[in-house]
Amino acid sequence: MASVSSLGSGSGLDLQGLLTKLMAAEQAPLTLLNKREAKFQASISALGSLKGGLASLQNAAAALTPDSTKTATAKFSTYQASIADSTIATVAASSSAVAGSYSLEVTALATAQRQALGTTYGATDPVIDFGDNATRTLTLTKGSGASASSVDITLDSTKNTLADLRNAINKAAAGVSAVIVTGADNKQNLLLTATDTGTANAITLSGDASFVNPAGGSAIAASSAFNTTQAATDASAKINGIPVSASGNTLTTAVDGLTINLQKTNIGSPTTITLTRDYSTLKGALNTLVKNYNDLNSTMASLGGYDAAAKSAGALNGDSTLRGAQSQVRSVLQKVPASLSGAPYQYLSDIGISVDKTGVMSLDNAKLQKAIDTNFGAVAELAGAYGSSFKTVTDNLLSSSGSVSTKIDGINRSVALIDKQRDALNVRLTAIEKQYRAQFTALDSAISSMQSTSTYLTQQLAGIANITNYNSNK
């Protein structure tokens, strides 16, 4: 039997083309599966857009919803602090501030205590008189009375230069820093500076450590070895004529909710601090709600709509999940939250928020400002109540058991099933193609063999005819 090098080469027939057409027909179910998957993927993408719009509305609602520990009024009660002369002090307000104005007169700034050794030493001179002892104790005490705190520093006789003493003090972190100053005569002095300002942070020295007297006299007790070059002082000021003080230059308890950082004194020339309520946080949160609501409304309309002119439907046209989400979101606008029962403002329209017949929400800033000026607390409570309602709805829709997530999970399961069906079908198509190819190869070989036999017989018959003719002509 003649061999066939490629399908159809033996017979001359287009067997490869015939095989291609047969396999195209066999692949029709695979094409249908691919179309179904493409539709499912389009639905997943559309539901992802819906989920994104709901999440944005959820975030906007969360920004309006007060924590369980505070009221909506407290959440949005922010204040702006300003001062007439910012060279005197800087000011900042917290939510516990109260609107008003206050005069500020700074009579003294807080200072940190500074001390210097009464004697100087060479860089390698012994500083502490250890006598026959290997160690001595230097005690640093911060403050006085019941609130005083002390740190004991153990000094080593093998480390007895001024630099060694400086290092030991700084390592102890006892509320004071030590530096060495070297004079023109190469003699060194030790300067101590309290870490913090105020009289409560002043440092005193004691203990059994005493300083070597360079003049050769008796050792100098630690308690009298240093001279004060700058006394520790507290800051003092007058708020509306009432004296206040602090160990540092920041007043945090002088006025409720107000932090005052003192910069310089202004004795006899008070400056004015003004506290005004800041509405920007509330207004910004409401504007974000309006924007995100409209974005979601537009997304839902696009996903579920139908363009009659183009005869084109949205990816979720007729989808029950989309309709349910639309209904639940819009229901927030149709029901007054229970917490607003009997409140001065109960509807979003009371503070300037309205929705037109196409579902587009808008905010009348002039009406909002008027409502704020009339009753800020009522506006805050209304914003918080509707924020909570929107958040509850979006939380439910977006939860793992919510309708949107459930629908996406269901479609993903369908896609996974299609993947399995496609794999099985591909295995079957491979087997079918193999079978067709074997049959066509056998056919090609058979036809090729018959054609070879036919050619041989034709040649033999022609030869016989030639012999007959030759014999007849003798």
Side-chain angles (χ1 to χ4, degrees):
M1 184 178 288
S3 62
V4 177
S5 59
S6 63
L7 199 61
S9 62
S11 64
L13 300 176
D14 185 14
L15 296 178
Q16 182 60 52
L18 180 58
L19 176 60
T20 300
K21 291 178 180 178
L22 286 172
M23 289 310 301
E26 294 286 352
Q27 289 175 351
L30 182 61
T31 302
L32 290 175
L33 285 178
N34 290 338
K35 287 182 178 179
R36 285 182 61 198
E37 183 183 22
K39 186 175 181 180
F40 281 143
Q41 294 293 357
S43 295
I44 291 174
S45 178
L47 287 166
S49 297
L50 173 61
K51 193 172 183 179
L54 288 168
S56 294
L57 181 61
Q58 180 187 46
N59 291 335
L64 285 169
T65 305
D67 298 333
S68 59
T69 58
K70 64 169 61 175
T71 64
T73 302
K75 176 180 176 66
F76 296 111
S77 290
T78 58
Y79 291 84
Q80 182 69 42
S82 62
I83 186 168
D85 186 349
S86 60
T87 66
I88 302 302
T90 60
V91 292
S94 70
S95 60
S96 60
V98 178
S101 61
Y102 309 88
S103 68
L104 171 66
E105 182 181 357
V106 182
T107 53
L109 294 177
T111 58
Q113 179 197 49
R114 293 178 182 174
Q115 302 179 74
L117 263 175
T119 56
T120 58
Y121 300 88
T124 59
D125 290 345
V127 177
I128 302 298
D129 184 359
F130 283 92
D132 295 330
N133 298 305
T135 61
R136 291 285 187 182
T137 300
L138 179 65
T139 301
L140 276 64
T141 302
K142 181 168 71 173
S144 60
S147 60
S149 60
S150 298
V151 174
D152 291 332
I153 303 174
T154 300
L155 305 177
D156 185 346
S157 61
T158 63
K159 297 178 181 180
N160 194 21
T161 65
L162 207 58
D164 293 328
L165 178 60
R166 174 202 61 197
N167 295 341
I169 292 174
N170 288 335
K171 184 179 180 181
V176 64
S177 62
V179 296
I180 290 175
V181 175
T182 303
D185 58 357
N186 288 325
K187 293 293 186 179
Q188 295 181 340
N189 200 320
L190 189 66
L191 304 184
L192 303 181
T193 302
T195 305
D196 300 306
T197 58
T199 56
N201 297 306
I203 299 293
T204 57
L205 288 80
S206 60
D208 63 5
S210 57
F211 287 80
V212 173
N213 189 338
S218 300
I220 306 168
S223 58
S224 57
F226 286 84
N227 298 321
T228 299
T229 58
Q230 176 175 284
T233 61
D234 293 334
S236 60
K238 293 180 180 178
I239 305 292
N240 284 356
I242 300 174
V244 296
S245 63
S247 60
N249 288 312
T250 300
L251 306 179
T252 57
T253 59
V255 179
D256 287 342
L258 186 63
T259 298
I260 306 171
N261 295 301
L262 306 179
Q263 308 277 13
K264 70 177 184 180
T265 59
N266 62 334
I267 300 173
S269 302
T271 188
T272 301
I273 297 172
T274 303
L275 280 171
T276 55
R277 193 187 289 273
D278 183 5
Y279 303 117
S280 61
T281 301
L282 175 59
K283 289 181 176 180
L286 287 171
N287 274 287
T288 299
L289 178 74
V290 170
K291 177 185 180 303
N292 290 355
Y293 179 90
N294 286 336
D295 289 346
L296 175 61
N297 183 63
S298 176
T299 297
M300 291 192 296
S302 175
L303 293 174
Y306 180 79
D307 186 340
K311 296 183 179 180
S312 174
L316 297 179
N317 179 262
D319 185 88
S320 60
T321 300
L322 174 63
R323 291 199 305 270
Q326 286 176 314
S327 176
Q328 290 184 57
V329 170
R330 291 170 181 171
S331 69
V332 175
L333 305 176
Q334 300 163 0
K335 183 179 180 181
V336 175
S339 63
L340 295 179
S341 177
Y345 301 145
Q346 297 185 13
Y347 299 93
L348 286 173
S349 58
D350 292 335
I351 63 171
I353 296 177
S354 59
V355 179
D356 66 18
K357 61 182 180 181
T358 65
V360 175
M361 183 181 286
S362 60
L363 173 61
D364 184 335
N365 285 294
K367 188 172 182 179
L368 172 60
Q369 186 60 55
K370 183 177 180 180
I372 287 173
D373 292 338
T374 302
N375 192 335
F376 170 78
V379 174
E381 292 301 326
L382 181 141
Y386 278 94
S388 180
S389 295
F390 274 119
K391 187 174 184 301
T392 297
V393 166
T394 52
D395 284 351
N396 290 337
L397 288 170
L398 295 173
S399 70
S400 59
S401 59
S403 60
V404 177
S405 297
T406 301
K407 183 64 175 287
I408 292 175
D409 290 343
I411 295 176
N412 279 326
R413 286 193 295 272
S414 296
V415 170
L417 180 60
I418 286 177
D419 287 338
K420 291 181 179 179
Q421 292 173 332
R422 181 164 42 223
D423 290 342
L425 185 56
N426 279 325
V427 171
R428 178 174 174 272
L429 288 173
T430 299
I432 290 174
E433 182 179 5
K434 184 178 180 180
Q435 180 181 356
Y436 278 147
R437 188 173 293 278
Q439 291 172 342
F440 285 171
T441 298
L443 175 63
D444 201 21
S445 296
I447 293 175
S448 176
S449 178
M450 286 187 292
Q451 287 175 339
S452 296
T453 300
S454 175
T455 300
Y456 173 77
L457 291 173
T458 299
Q459 291 173 345
Q460 292 299 315
L461 291 172
I464 293 171
N466 287 336
I467 292 171
T468 302
N469 289 336
Y470 175 78
N471 292 327
S472 298
N473 292 328
K474 279 185 174 184

